[in-house]
Amino acid sequence: MALQGFKGTTYEVLTGDGTRWVIAQILRVEKDARTLAEALLASGQHAMVRITAKRDGWVTERIIFQENTKVTTKPIKPIPVDEAPVCRTPADCLGHPARLAVGRLARAYLDERGITAAEFLVSPGDLTAVERRDNFFIIGMHLLAKAQAGASQTSPSDRAEALFELHERLCRQTRDLSDDDIAALKAAVAKQGLAALPEAAPGAPPSLLVLSALAAIVAEGGSWRGRLVKLLDLLEMGNGSAAARTLVDQLVAELVDAPQAIAEIFGGLREGIEACGNLIALATGAGQLPKYASDGAHRLHALMGRSPLPVTQRILMERVARILGGVKPLTQQGGEAERQAFTELVPTLTDPGGVLGGGPTAEALTLRSKMALGQHEDLAMSAAIERLLEMFPTRAVRLGYLLDLTPTPTGRKNERTIRHWLATVIGQLKTIRNLMPEGTPPETLAIAVHALRARLAMEALPEEVRGAISHSLDQLLLGRAPGVTALAPISAEPPAAVDTAAPGRPEPGRVLFEEGDDGQTAYLVTAGEVDVYRVRDGREERIATLGRGDIIGEMSLIDGQRRPVSARARPGASVVAIGRDNLKTRLAALDKSDRLLRRLVEALIRRLRGQSKGPA
């Protein structure tokens, strides 16, 4: 076609694969067209480049230049993936699990081109161009086949043959798709938002046309930041079906799954504890992002706070789990700074019924706890789990964490230890309200119970664990104690005895006891500080901070009632534990020597307990 408003000759520069062509630019000067064509060839990003000339009065265009691309890019390698869905049709390749697997496998190629996996899978030019990277393409297909072989119940070699054939079919379908249809749907989405997308069957992968139109919109963003903004624009229009919103959620997730993209979106992704904090804030929409984060990151953060994107959240939390589950220190200082940083991070990773990110996060936290909380060497697994349980704010979180951890590799390896702690937590529950602190709103408790039920529905959870915990929750909901029978399938070694009247240094952030607990031990603070607090409406209210020489927990030890407050040790704190038997002996002696003083002690305890309850 000729340029509107011009007379004479115009020149179209096109890129393509010999069958399907895309106009790169229309120019008035042939020299400029040839310069652009040479630049496109040198980029190595297009299979072929063509120039056509069109003059007013000519019936057809004339091809005046056409050459194959000159591939000058450096060699790249595919990245092995642990799992990938079995794809049997081109439509299967367009689903989110397949796109995610391809994005990870072909990361080097996608980063080189600056495109997402969705853009790659709907581009005939890229699907053809990648074939010319012989080693990358062939090795990548075999790695993908290996990941799929188990689920497909075929050998890796047979699966590889099927994948090569599937690639050819996908190439043909992308070439046959009408450019006009893509452009029309793209324009409709740009104008009407997600409401313009055709309805799709629940759970079905998007059609080639739909994914191509969305990929074309994303590509207009240019940079990774720009691509994110394009997707956020669609989400913030606030229309379209739940399936359409999920599709865009998946595209955002695939974008932030790329290390290069997430670094650009954050303005440079730091390491260790700072990276974890940024990613958790972005995943939850809570807290604040750093000032150096891009506008797109701040927009996504705000959106996650208003209306979370579950797929994107899962991908971000997987990145957090990889950092925590690794061996690199979270801080440069190590030692006490490492323990302090980890202790402060743990509460940000909880939700009402467990930990954010489920199993991967639970496993990563456990492994990091072993390293970060040991004084001179790694903790034993049981001690690492105990320290984590003490850091979690509620029993619901502890129970959910243990359920998340159970089916992981670490959980299966330490099954007996985890079942012991499951039995311990369940044994602390007298009513369903014991899952949360006193004063928790009923709706918050309902959310926690629902979250625990969802975890119990996990297929990977052992049946006997699922049955025992489900029975216990049912009994609690009926107002009954769980009972020994329900716990029998998961009972294990008895809890370790309390080391009374012995000095010790609890880990930073360790909860000495919680509001509503039975009082079996009091604590004398010999160094550092201990915070005394209550939880009201899901928020902590600090009541006091005790220092050296102060005693905490003595009221429940004397009168046998439940703890009226909670206590948590600060970093560097040391305490001496005083057991009930020890105190009974001393009070008995006091009763014999001075009964009046004993009665004064009891009266003082009753008065202090009344004051500690505070306003309802």
Side-chain angles (χ1 to χ4, degrees):
M1 68 180 180
L3 282 174
Q4 295 295 320
F6 283 95
K7 294 183 179 180
T9 307
T10 55
Y11 302 89
E12 290 184 356
V13 182
L14 305 98
T15 60
D17 57 7
T19 302
R20 179 179 173 186
W21 296 93
V22 177
I23 297 175
Q25 198 167 343
I26 304 175
L27 300 165
R28 285 282 291 131
V29 180
E30 181 179 349
K31 181 180 179 181
D32 293 343
R34 290 187 178 273
T35 299
L36 175 59
E38 291 292 341
L40 292 171
L41 284 169
S43 72
Q45 297 178 3
H46 308 284
M48 299 178 73
V49 177
R50 168 189 288 181
I51 301 176
T52 62
K54 174 69 175 178
R55 186 176 179 84
D56 292 342
W58 290 1
V59 177
T60 60
E61 298 173 336
R62 296 179 183 177
I63 298 174
I64 63 172
F65 174 91
Q66 180 171 305
E67 285 191 18
N68 294 332
T69 186
K70 301 170 183 176
V71 180
T72 58
T73 50
K74 63 181 180 181
I76 54 176
K77 295 181 179 180
I79 301 172
V81 291
D82 295 330
E83 57 182 6
V86 178
C87 298
R88 303 189 188 280
T89 68
D92 295 338
C93 301
L94 305 181
H96 170 64
R99 301 197 308 267
L100 199 61
V102 168
R104 293 171 176 177
L105 180 88
R107 178 54 51 203
Y109 179 82
L110 300 183
D111 285 349
E112 181 185 276
R113 290 278 289 111
I115 60 176
T116 64
E119 294 172 77
F120 169 75
L121 288 167
V122 299
S123 168
D126 282 301
L127 290 171
T128 302
V130 78
E131 291 185 54
R132 295 196 300 277
R133 307 287 189 92
D134 288 341
N135 288 338
F136 179 82
F137 181 65
I138 295 173
I139 294 173
M141 283 299 211
H142 281 280
L143 288 174
L144 197 58
K146 183 178 179 181
Q148 294 182 0
S152 65
Q153 298 182 336
T154 59
S155 67
S157 59
D158 288 343
R159 189 65 203 145
E161 288 298 319
L163 287 176
F164 283 119
E165 180 183 349
L166 187 58
H167 179 82
E168 287 298 321
R169 292 171 61 191
L170 184 59
C171 286
R172 288 196 299 271
Q173 288 192 13
T174 57
R175 284 195 297 266
D176 293 342
L177 186 62
S178 167
D179 291 337
D180 291 340
D181 290 344
I182 296 174
L185 183 55
K186 173 188 166 187
V189 172
K191 183 177 181 180
Q192 305 170 32
L194 299 179
L197 295 179
E199 290 291 334
S207 69
L208 180 57
L209 175 60
V210 166
L211 195 60
S212 296
L214 290 176
I217 291 173
V218 170
E220 289 182 342
S223 65
W224 296 118
R225 292 185 184 187
R227 282 170 157 80
L228 175 61
V229 166
K230 287 290 184 181
L231 291 168
L232 293 176
D233 287 343
L234 292 175
L235 288 168
E236 290 172 351
M237 291 181 76
N239 57 16
S241 65
R245 181 181 171 83
T246 297
L247 174 55
V248 180
D249 178 11
Q250 293 169 351
L251 293 172
V252 175
E254 292 157 31
L255 184 66
V256 300
D257 191 53
Q260 188 183 93
I262 196 69
E264 181 182 307
I265 290 167
F266 265 114
L269 189 62
R270 276 51 173 178
E271 295 185 350
I273 200 70
E274 185 175 3
C276 286
N278 289 343
L279 291 166
I280 293 167
L282 188 60
T284 59
Q288 292 184 336
L289 294 185
K291 292 182 179 179
Y292 56 76
S294 69
D295 290 342
H298 284 284
R299 284 180 62 185
L300 178 57
H301 177 257
L303 179 65
M304 295 294 274
R306 296 192 309 269
S307 181
L309 304 176
V311 185
T312 299
Q313 184 181 80
R314 176 174 60 82
I315 293 298
L316 290 170
M317 293 310 304
E318 284 180 4
R319 185 175 293 278
V320 173
R322 287 195 292 272
I323 296 173
L324 289 176
V327 296
K328 293 181 65 175
L330 297 177
T331 64
Q332 294 182 350
Q333 296 86 354
E336 188 62 34
E338 184 86 0
R339 286 188 287 276
Q340 175 70 17
F342 180 67
T343 298
E344 293 175 354
L345 182 70
V346 169
T348 68
L349 285 165
T350 63
D351 65 19
V355 292
L356 293 167
T361 303
E363 183 173 38
L365 279 172
T366 306
L367 297 176
R368 180 62 63 171
S369 177
K370 283 171 56 68
M371 295 186 294
L373 300 183
Q375 293 290 340
H376 303 293
E377 59 184 14
D378 287 357
L379 293 175
M381 182 58 67
S382 183
I385 293 174
E386 181 181 15
R387 296 295 188 270
L388 272 178
L389 292 174
E390 290 166 347
M391 291 182 187
F392 293 141
T394 69
R395 293 186 181 90
V397 172
R398 294 169 196 160
L399 186 56
Y401 153 75
L402 291 168
L403 291 174
D404 284 333
L405 182 62
T406 296
T408 67
T410 297
R412 292 193 294 270
K413 186 178 179 180
N414 297 275
E415 180 181 9
R416 181 175 173 81
T417 297
I418 294 171
R419 291 189 177 199
H420 156 62
W421 287 113
L422 278 168
T424 300
V425 173
I426 287 292
Q428 296 170 349
L429 305 176
K430 301 298 183 286
T431 72
I432 197 68
R433 287 192 169 277
N434 292 148
L435 284 169
M436 305 289 280
E438 184 179 345
T440 298
E443 56 270 22
T444 303
L445 178 62
I447 291 172
V449 173
H450 178 75
L452 290 171
R453 288 291 190 192
R455 282 168 166 82
L456 288 170
M458 293 187 298
E459 293 183 1
L461 202 63
E463 183 59 38
E464 63 272 22
V465 172
R466 182 186 297 113
I469 303 298
S470 294
H471 178 77
S472 297
L473 288 180
D474 290 342
Q475 293 295 99
L476 289 167
L477 287 168
L478 292 172
R480 307 168 188 166
V484 177
T485 303
L487 294 174
I490 59 171
S491 61
E493 67 271 11
V498 177
D499 183 15
T500 59
R505 174 165 296 199
E507 295 298 328
R510 177 175 177 179
V511 175
L512 300 178
F513 54 79
E514 281 190 328
E515 183 177 355
D517 285 349
D518 288 330
Q520 300 293 331
T521 308
Y523 297 90
L524 171 66
V525 183
T526 58
E529 295 178 322
V530 173
D531 287 328
V532 181
Y533 63 95
R534 289 186 304 229
V535 178
R536 292 293 180 267
D537 297 330
R539 299 178 61 183
E540 284 190 8
E541 298 176 357
R542 190 165 64 188
I543 300 170
T545 299
L546 305 182
R548 181 175 179 178
D550 290 326
I551 295 178
I552 182 67
E554 73 286 353
M555 287 191 290
S556 295
L557 205 61
I558 293 173
D559 64 10
Q561 296 187 42
R562 294 186 180 275
R563 305 282 196 188
V565 293
S566 303
R568 179 171 54 227
R570 287 189 177 184
S574 294
V575 299
V576 171
I578 305 170
R580 173 166 289 178
D581 290 342
N582 186 298
L583 186 62
K584 279 184 176 179
T585 301
R586 294 174 183 270
L587 289 176
L590 182 61
D591 196 31
K592 291 179 180 178
S593 62
D594 194 332
R595 291 189 177 183
L596 176 59
L597 182 58
R598 167 66 189 272
R599 298 298 177 266
L600 287 173
V601 168
E602 292 177 345
L604 179 61
I605 290 297
R606 286 194 296 271
R607 184 177 304 171
L608 290 174
R609 180 175 289 280
Q611 292 175 354
S612 70
K613 292 179 180 179

